[in-house]
Amino acid sequence: MKNTRLWIADSEAPYADAFREYVNLKKSHLFQVRMCTEQEQLQKALASEEIEILLISARWYEAFRELIRNECVILLSEGSLPRELERFPAVYKYQSAENILREIMYYYSEQEEEEYYTQVRKDNRVIGIYSPQEGIGKNKFALTLGQILAEDWNVLYLNLEECSGFSEILGENHWNLSDLIYYLRQNKASFLYRLNSMVRKLDHLDYIPPCESYTDFRQITVEEWQRLLHLIRTQSTYDFIILDFGNATGHEADLLRQCSGIYLPVGRDMISRGRAEQWEKHIRVSDGMDILERLQKLELPECGPGPYSEEDLFMLPQQELGRYVRGLLQE
C-alpha cells in the first residue's frame, strides 16, 4: 500500500519527533512522516523532496509561503490564527496525536483527488452477527468477539441497527456511518483517508459510530452497503470486519451473503427457538441455502445485567461471555 508522505515542520523538536515516532510506529498507518525542526531543513525539503501533506506552524508558513506549491497544507495551530491564514485547514497542536491524525485524514480526503490502487486482499473476513429477536445478548456478543479478535488482529466493528443507542453509551461523535456513506456517494478517490478519520476505539477494537438518523439509515441502499464493504476489504488493512445486524435495513439477506461466517444467537426458551426456526425457513424458501451453510447457531451463556458504562464494555472479554467466545474461537 502506498504511504502518503507527511512532513511536520515545527521548531519544537521534541514535539515533532514524538509525533513522527507515534505515526510511523502505528500498526496500520497510512503515512510516512518526516520532520523539519530547522528552517534550513524545510527550505531544502521544499526544493528537492516530494511532500504530499505539509503540517506546518503558522509562523513558518508565513516565512515559506512563496516556496510552497502543490502540497496539501495543514496549519499546526497553537490557538487563533491570523485572519489571512483562516482559509487554510488547521489542527490544534496540543491535543492527542490520534485526534490530530483524524483531522489530517479528513482534510486530506477533501483535497486529494489523485486515484491510487491497492491490491485486493483475499485473506480478510467479514463476520455477521444476526438474530431475528431482541434481548438475547447479540450486541454484547458482537462487541466481545470484536475486542477479543482485536487483541491479535486489526478489527473493525460496524453496527447496522436502525437504533443502536451507541451515542448514548459512548458519547456523541462529529461523524458517523451516515457521513461515510454520504462521502462514498461523491465517488472521491480518498475513501480510505475519510474512513480512518472517522474511526473510534473501544480498547483495541476500531469502530465507526453508527447512524443516528432514522431517515438517513433507511435511505442507504443495498448497493451502497455492498460497496462500502468492498472498499473496506480492498483498501484497508483490517483482518476482520464485524457486522452487527439489525432488522430494519430490508437488505439483511443480501448483506449476510457478504459474510464468510455468520453467528446466530438463539435464546433457550421456546419462543426464541421458534423465531429462529421461522427465520431459517424464510431464508430457505428465498433461495438462501448459501446463507444457511455459513450459519452457526449459538446458545449464549447468561450475560447478566448491563453494561451500564463504557468501562463495562471494556470488561466484557474478561467476563463469562468472554470465556465463552474464546472457547468458540478455539474450535
Side-chain angles (χ1 to χ4, degrees), residues 53-166:
I53 303 176
L54 181 60
L55 182 63
I56 184 172
S57 67
R59 179 167 52 84
W60 277 30
Y61 175 78
E62 291 181 303
F64 286 91
R65 68 169 71 205
E66 298 301 324
L67 297 178
I68 296 172
R69 294 290 182 263
N70 299 320
E71 295 81 9
C72 171
V73 174
I74 300 174
L75 299 181
L76 197 57
S77 168
E78 298 184 24
S80 60
L81 292 170
R83 182 179 298 274
E84 63 272 17
L85 298 183
E86 290 179 352
R87 62 188 177 91
F88 289 101
V91 299
Y92 181 60
K93 181 176 180 178
Y94 300 112
Q95 60 178 318
S96 71
E98 195 64 35
N99 284 342
I100 291 175
L101 273 178
R102 286 196 192 102
E103 294 184 36
I104 289 172
M105 288 185 286
Y106 174 82
Y107 289 131
Y108 190 55
S109 69
E110 285 289 286
Q111 299 183 45
E112 194 271 334
E113 295 294 339
E114 181 180 351
E115 184 66 77
Y116 61 90
Y117 299 92
T118 57
Q119 184 176 358
V120 176
R121 295 185 61 192
K122 303 294 185 182
D123 58 341
N124 54 19
R125 297 184 62 201
V126 179
I127 298 176
I129 317 295
Y130 178 81
S131 177
Q133 64 185 102
E134 303 293 335
I136 56 170
K138 176 180 69 71
N139 297 129
K140 285 185 184 180
F141 173 78
L143 289 168
T144 303
L145 174 67
Q147 289 185 77
I148 289 174
L149 286 173
E151 293 172 358
D152 300 301
W153 306 90
N154 292 332
V155 184
L156 179 66
Y157 169 86
L158 297 178
N159 185 291
L160 306 187
E161 295 176 312
E162 183 179 30
C163 182
S164 68
F166 259 57

Side-chain angles (χ1 to χ4, degrees), residues 8-9 48 63 76 118 129 231 233 274 291:
I8 178 170
S48 60
L76 197 57
T118 57
I129 317 295
L231 289 173
R233 294 195 70 182
I291 296 175

Side-chain angles (χ1 to χ4, degrees), residues 190-223:
S190 305
F191 170 81
L192 185 56
Y193 293 91
R194 181 57 62 95
L195 170 73
N196 280 275
S197 75
M198 295 183 178
V199 165
R200 296 295 183 269
K201 284 198 173 285
L202 185 65
D203 200 5
H204 298 295
L205 175 65
D206 286 2
Y207 71 94
I208 303 292
C211 300
E212 295 184 8
S213 165
Y214 285 68
T215 303
D216 290 347
F217 182 86
R218 290 183 177 275
Q219 289 177 348
I220 301 173
T221 67
V222 63
E223 291 80 14

